[in-house]
């Protein structure tokens, strides 16, 4: 998954992979896990992204063609 | 009828500008989730959520209508909403009862007037949002058309499903100010 991150000024943009830190920020337990192991498992990453989405810190973008839907089952 | 506990029920509103194919997306989601055994089509007037004669004749959703599907043991109540400005009040009503909003954007046209309005409404209600970029397979449709002008310099990026965020409350209309 690719992440586009907007800076605090709303203008600067960086593009990269969805980071463990991004997912961990939304959940204190995940953040502790991240500090201890400096990495998250795939499941933890998705849990973190779900929490971040619910908190309106992350906005997942799905793309869809006319016939097949790529709605990710992970969210 | 199966009874679901409250943690296993989600109300999701499909919102977006008129013609962004929200109803068709709802139909596809219902079909993929096996809620219906046939993929309804707006052109044929066979979708679940556009059942009114006027809606079928005009091929436009005129009022918010619900449909549900089960996905991973969770009941998803989809609320298909009108994208026409005249019926925007129904869209607002749907957002008020929704747990989350799916903002559907047409890849040919980018963020339009109602896209901005529903994003603002969702922000006012503090609703989580998922953006669906629709019709990417059309001749002139492409993420290159619809991505932020700020990101345009990075034309070689793989635009698979991705996430974006802002430290402050992000203005979708601004970040999705896409080239027309």
């Amino acid at each position: 998954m690719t992440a586009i991150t907007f800076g605090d000024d709303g203008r600067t943009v960086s593009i990269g992979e969805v980071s463990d830190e991004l997912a961990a920020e939304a959940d204190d337990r995940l953040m502790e896990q991240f500090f201890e192991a400096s990495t998250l498992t795939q499941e933890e990453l998705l849990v973190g992204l779900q929490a971040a989405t619910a908190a309106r810190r992350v906005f997942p973008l799905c793309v869809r063609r006319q016939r097949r839907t790529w709605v990710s089952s992970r969210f | 009828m199966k009874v679901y506990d409250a943690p296993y029920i989600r109300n999701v509103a499909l919102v977006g500008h008129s013609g962004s194919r929200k109803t068709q997306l709802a139909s596809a989601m219902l079909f993929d989730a096996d809620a219906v055994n046939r993929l309804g089509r707006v052109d044929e007037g066979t979708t679940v959520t556009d059942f009114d004669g006027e809606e079928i004749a005009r091929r436009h959703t005129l009022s918010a209508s619900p449909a549900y599907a089960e996905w991973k043991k969770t009941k998803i109540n989809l609320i298909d909403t009108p994208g026409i400005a005249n019926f925007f009040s129904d869209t607002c009503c749907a957002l008020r009862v929704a747990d989350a909003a799916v903002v559907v954007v047409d890849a040919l046209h980018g963020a339009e007037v109602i896209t901005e309005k529903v994003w603002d409404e969702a922000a006012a209600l503090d609703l989580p949002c998922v953006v669906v970029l629709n019709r990417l397979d059309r001749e002139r449709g492409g993420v290159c058309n619809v991505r932020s002008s700020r990101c345009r310099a990075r034309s070689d990026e793989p635009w698979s499903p991705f996430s974006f965020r802002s430290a402050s409350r992000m203005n979708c209309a601004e970040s999705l100010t896409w080239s027309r």
Side-chain angles (χ1 to χ4, degrees):
Chain A
M1 281 186 284
T2 306
I4 299 181
T5 307
F6 291 84
D8 290 341
D9 59 357
R11 291 182 177 277
T12 52
V13 175
S14 61
I15 300 174
E17 282 291 302
V18 168
S19 64
D20 291 348
E21 189 180 357
L22 173 70
E25 278 176 7
D27 190 308
D28 290 342
R29 191 185 60 79
L30 287 178
M31 187 55 98
E32 285 176 20
Q33 182 96 359
F34 177 68
F35 282 140
E36 284 173 14
S38 42
T39 183
L40 296 177
T41 65
Q42 187 70 10
E43 288 76 25
E44 289 168 338
L45 182 78
L46 294 175
V47 167
L49 285 178
Q50 279 183 333
T53 303
R56 286 181 59 82
R57 296 173 66 181
V58 165
F59 300 88
L61 174 63
C62 309
V63 294
R64 176 179 183 260
R65 295 186 295 171
Q66 190 74 24
R67 292 186 180 274
R68 292 298 301 170
T69 307
W70 295 355
V71 176
S72 169
S73 59
R74 290 176 293 190
F75 285 98
Chain B
M1 188 174 169
K2 188 174 175 182
V3 177
Y4 295 85
D5 291 334
Y8 296 98
I9 300 175
R10 296 283 186 280
N11 300 328
V12 178
L14 289 166
V15 294
H17 195 82
S18 175
S20 56
R21 304 300 191 272
K22 299 177 290 297
T23 304
Q24 192 60 59
L25 176 63
S27 187
M29 290 167 87
L30 292 172
F31 180 69
D32 272 358
D34 287 332
V36 292
N37 58 10
R38 177 183 169 199
L39 177 60
R41 295 195 177 281
V42 174
D43 293 343
E44 298 166 2
T46 53
T47 59
V48 173
T49 51
D50 275 5
F51 50 83
D52 187 77
E54 199 71 18
E55 291 178 323
I56 293 169
R58 294 179 185 275
R59 295 177 186 172
H60 277 295
T61 305
L62 301 180
S63 62
S65 50
Y68 74 92
E70 186 179 305
W71 189 259
K72 293 187 177 179
K73 298 179 182 176
T74 301
K75 184 188 184 192
I76 311 288
N77 289 319
L78 293 171
I79 310 171
D80 184 27
T81 64
I84 304 172
N86 285 348
F87 305 105
F88 189 65
S89 56
D90 256 34
T91 306
C92 293
C93 291
L95 284 172
R96 284 197 171 271
V97 298
D99 300 314
V102 175
V103 181
V104 186
V105 181
D106 191 331
L108 293 176
H109 301 117
E112 296 173 273
V113 176
I114 299 297
T115 316
E116 297 177 11
K117 291 182 81 168
V118 292
W119 189 271
D120 289 345
E121 190 69 24
L125 296 167
D126 211 19
L127 288 181
C129 291
V130 174
V131 180
V132 173
L133 201 52
N134 212 351
R135 297 210 291 172
L136 266 178
D137 58 338
R138 296 298 287 264
E139 190 178 344
R140 289 179 294 112
V143 184
C144 293
N145 287 345
V146 294
R147 69 192 143 138
S148 164
S149 53
R150 295 177 204 148
C151 311
R152 215 173 293 152
R154 301 290 298 270
S155 58
D156 55 346
E157 284 297 320
W159 293 91
S160 52
F162 60 91
S163 308
F164 53 94
R165 69 157 190 170
S166 165
S168 58
R169 182 166 283 186
M170 196 186 64
N171 182 341
C172 169
E174 187 189 354
S175 62
L176 304 184
T177 303
W178 297 333
S179 58
R180 301 289 298 271

